[in-house]
Amino acid sequence: MQTRDKLVIHGASPLNGTVGVSGAKNSVLKLMGAAILTDAPIELRNVPQLADVKVMTEVLRHLGAKVTQQDDVMVIESKEINRTEASYELVSKMRASFIVLGALLGRYHEARVSLPGGCSIGKRGVDLHIKGLQALGADIQINQGYVEATAPRLEGRDILLDTPSVGATENIMLAAVLAEGVTVISNAAQEPEIVDLANFLNAIGADISGAGSTEIIINGVRKEDLHGTSYTIMPDRIEAATFMIAAAGTRGNVLLDNIIPGHLNSVIRKLEDVGAEIVLEAPNAIRVIGKEQYEAQNLVTQPYPGFPTDVQAPFMALLSIADGVSIVTETLYENRFKQIGELNRMGAKIHQEGDIAVVTGVPALMGAQVKCSDLRAGAALIIAGLQAEGVTEISELQHIDRGYECIVEKLTQLGASIERVTIDEEPAAQEALPVN
Ligand code: EPZ
């Protein structure tokens, strides 16, 4: 829901201390969708408190599942699913809810799920999801903005993705778990969240190998083979990257705990290239030690294991104060440079030409009033505000609420001067576009 709250940041002071990273948004949402493959209760641990998790809870409840949550432990029971439809009202709030398509089709042989449509960062088609499910034998019609899918029988197939889409890989995996025979997904997405989903599915009785590589093999099992489990969600690598950049950008010294450093290799490399010091202090903890001055670096976003598009905007905030000219190329989304105008309002010198941004480093940013346009652009503005001299006021916080658990509390604990000012007024007229 849109909010009129604001973040007020008094910047230019270093972050210091230890921060624990929360469970991964982009994993938990898919595991919640996957939970409806079985009647047995599923316990998810390390579940972050996020607006997007609330939306997914609503989606599952709408289908008839029982979802309860206490602190970071969620229990999902799907034995009373009585609907196979996810409405426009729900899917348009959050694109990730489209994941129920594959799970419903696999388990109930039918699904009617609203097309997510475009969103603020790009067109983001679902053609690869649909082609993959069709290859498994689903009959799919697009009717009045809905994907209407039926599949009395799903059969394993070899599926080659045109591009390694995360969501398409996940939707196909979910449908293939209960298909007859073997499905092989080639040119599959290799993101750690795919591995988390495969590990979870195997924990409930699926038979999946190869996740994390470009070829995933799913041996279909019977629905009687699936059972409950208790599963801990992986740490959020994008949240971790955001704190790492904030630590470097404020010339601080921060230990990040509860992370998987191997998930962050491309970000660590880029931080080292600009001049920050990164120390592996434990198998699940790294320290970021900031430097007085950073050097410009070029950046190209790529599917994993390349540099993540979700970290492009936050990293741009750091490049904006690096010495020299950085070229940032965004290859995944056509509209993911919306932070530029706002960073420029804070004194950055960034010029966009299509999918390329030319960042000419300035000695310092200045506080200003700015607006979030999407989740990661919002993260970039927080980092910019922490780096900047003076006061930054950030509005449109509903975007940040989707993906950063307790961000004000965590930054305050690191010594930041950041406050959320609540403004009680009637809800604003327009709902935000879906992003994730
Ligand atoms: C996931 O989105 C993430 N969201 C995104 O995180 C992330 O940016 C993205 O993967 C890439 O890493 C969630 O996991 C909820 P894709 P997803 O399918 O699955 C094109 C964040 O900030 N494509 O891998 O939707 C698409 O347009 C968010 O947390 C098609 O053309 O991403 C894009 O250019 C934002 N047709 C590219 O592929 C399709 O059928 C990659 O998209 C599917 C995708």
Side-chain angles (χ1 to χ4, degrees):
M1 230 239 316
Q2 203 160 7
T3 169
R4 300 178 71 99
D5 290 4
K6 280 183 190 166
L7 285 181
V8 180
I9 302 176
H10 293 258
S13 71
L15 298 183
N16 280 302
T18 301
V19 63
V21 172
S22 300
K25 167 181 86 76
N26 289 347
S27 177
V28 70
L29 299 174
K30 318 307 170 57
L31 270 56
M32 288 174 73
I36 61 177
L37 281 173
T38 174
D39 287 351
I42 298 292
E43 182 179 83
L44 298 177
R45 302 186 157 267
N46 201 27
V47 173
Q49 311 264 0
L50 298 172
D52 275 9
V53 170
K54 290 205 180 98
V55 176
M56 197 64 183
T57 300
E58 248 183 278
V59 171
L60 295 186
R61 286 187 179 147
H62 175 80
L63 296 173
K66 198 172 153 215
V67 186
T68 51
Q69 188 172 355
Q70 189 155 26
D71 303 325
D72 69 344
V73 180
M74 174 181 280
V75 177
I76 303 170
E77 290 179 74
S78 305
K79 61 178 187 291
E80 281 167 23
I81 296 264
N82 52 17
R83 227 186 241 140
T84 52
E85 176 173 306
S87 66
Y88 174 71
E89 286 68 34
L90 290 171
V91 180
S92 64
K93 276 191 197 166
M94 185 187 70
R95 193 189 154 76
S97 49
F98 195 67
I99 197 69
V100 295
L101 177 62
L104 286 171
L105 203 53
R107 177 75 177 79
Y108 297 97
H109 306 285
E110 61 171 37
R112 184 169 186 268
V113 179
S114 170
L115 280 166
C119 83
S120 62
I121 60 175
K123 301 197 283 292
R124 305 185 74 186
V126 287
D127 51 311
L128 303 177
H129 302 232
I130 290 172
K131 271 197 219 158
L133 298 175
Q134 282 171 329
L136 295 177
D139 175 50
I140 298 189
Q141 309 291 330
I142 308 293
N143 201 357
Q144 297 190 320
Y146 278 76
V147 178
E148 297 179 341
T150 49
R153 191 162 162 266
L154 289 170
E155 209 175 327
R157 282 276 182 276
D158 287 357
I159 297 170
L160 170 65
L161 293 179
D162 294 343
T163 186
S165 154
V166 173
T169 303
E170 291 166 336
N171 245 331
I172 297 166
M173 275 166 76
L174 289 184
V177 165
L178 292 172
E180 286 171 38
V182 184
T183 300
V184 179
I185 310 175
S186 302
N187 197 26
Q190 301 174 71
E191 269 69 1
E193 291 78 11
I194 302 278
V195 179
D196 217 30
L197 178 60
N199 288 344
F200 167 77
L201 290 170
N202 286 339
I204 66 168
D207 181 356
I208 301 175
S209 56
S213 77
T214 56
E215 190 172 276
I216 301 178
I217 301 157
I218 304 129
N219 285 303
V221 297
R222 293 166 313 150
K223 68 173 189 240
E224 300 72 39
D225 296 328
L226 298 184
H227 47 75
T229 195
S230 173
Y231 189 89
T232 302
I233 309 290
M234 63 175 263
D236 195 312
R237 63 194 170 98
I238 309 299
E239 186 201 8
T242 304
F243 278 105
M244 289 168 74
I245 297 164
T250 59
R251 302 167 172 108
N253 183 327
V254 172
L255 183 70
L256 284 102
D257 203 8
N258 183 33
I259 61 163
I260 300 179
H263 290 171
L264 288 156
N265 284 340
S266 61
V267 177
I268 292 174
R269 163 108 53 95
K270 216 28 101 178
L271 278 169
E272 287 177 335
D273 287 349
V274 297
E277 189 182 340
I278 314 288
V279 183
L280 181 67
E281 289 216 348
N284 66 346
I286 49 180
R287 181 176 296 283
V288 179
I289 304 167
K291 288 279 137 44
E292 231 6 78
Q293 188 56 55
Y294 295 102
E295 296 299 323
Q297 281 296 323
N298 297 340
L299 191 73
V300 181
T301 62
Q302 297 285 351
Y304 191 86
F307 192 90
T309 174
D310 298 344
V311 185
Q312 176 260 113
F315 211 90
M316 191 180 282
L318 175 61
L319 292 177
S320 70
I321 54 162
D323 192 24
V325 178
S326 305
I327 309 287
V328 177
T329 310
E330 171 56 56
T331 69
L332 273 96
Y333 298 117
E334 59 276 21
N335 217 354
R336 219 179 195 185
F337 277 146
K338 289 192 173 164
Q339 73 279 8
I340 291 178
E342 302 302 277
L343 290 175
N344 283 346
R345 298 192 68 250
M346 299 177 70
K349 272 198 191 154
I350 308 171
H351 170 72
Q352 184 187 347
E353 290 277 348
D355 59 0
I356 288 178
V358 181
V359 186
T360 306
V362 295
L365 298 178
M366 295 166 300
Q369 291 178 316
V370 287
K371 259 186 206 165
C372 306
S373 53
D374 61 74
L375 173 60
R376 307 304 173 187
L381 297 181
I382 292 181
I383 295 170
L386 292 168
Q387 291 173 168
E389 284 162 13
V391 183
T392 298
E393 281 188 18
I394 307 178
S395 57
E396 307 289 334
L397 302 183
Q398 69 276 4
H399 296 291
I400 288 171
D401 293 339
R402 304 178 71 137
Y404 288 95
E405 182 181 49
C406 299
I407 186 139
V408 171
E409 292 78 357
K410 288 185 183 189
L411 287 170
T412 304
Q413 200 188 312
L414 293 174
S417 167
I418 178 169
E419 196 189 354
R420 183 168 180 138
V421 181
T422 301
I423 300 166
D424 285 326
E425 280 182 40
E426 66 275 17
Q430 208 194 338
E431 282 289 324
L433 284 166
V435 177
N436 306 299

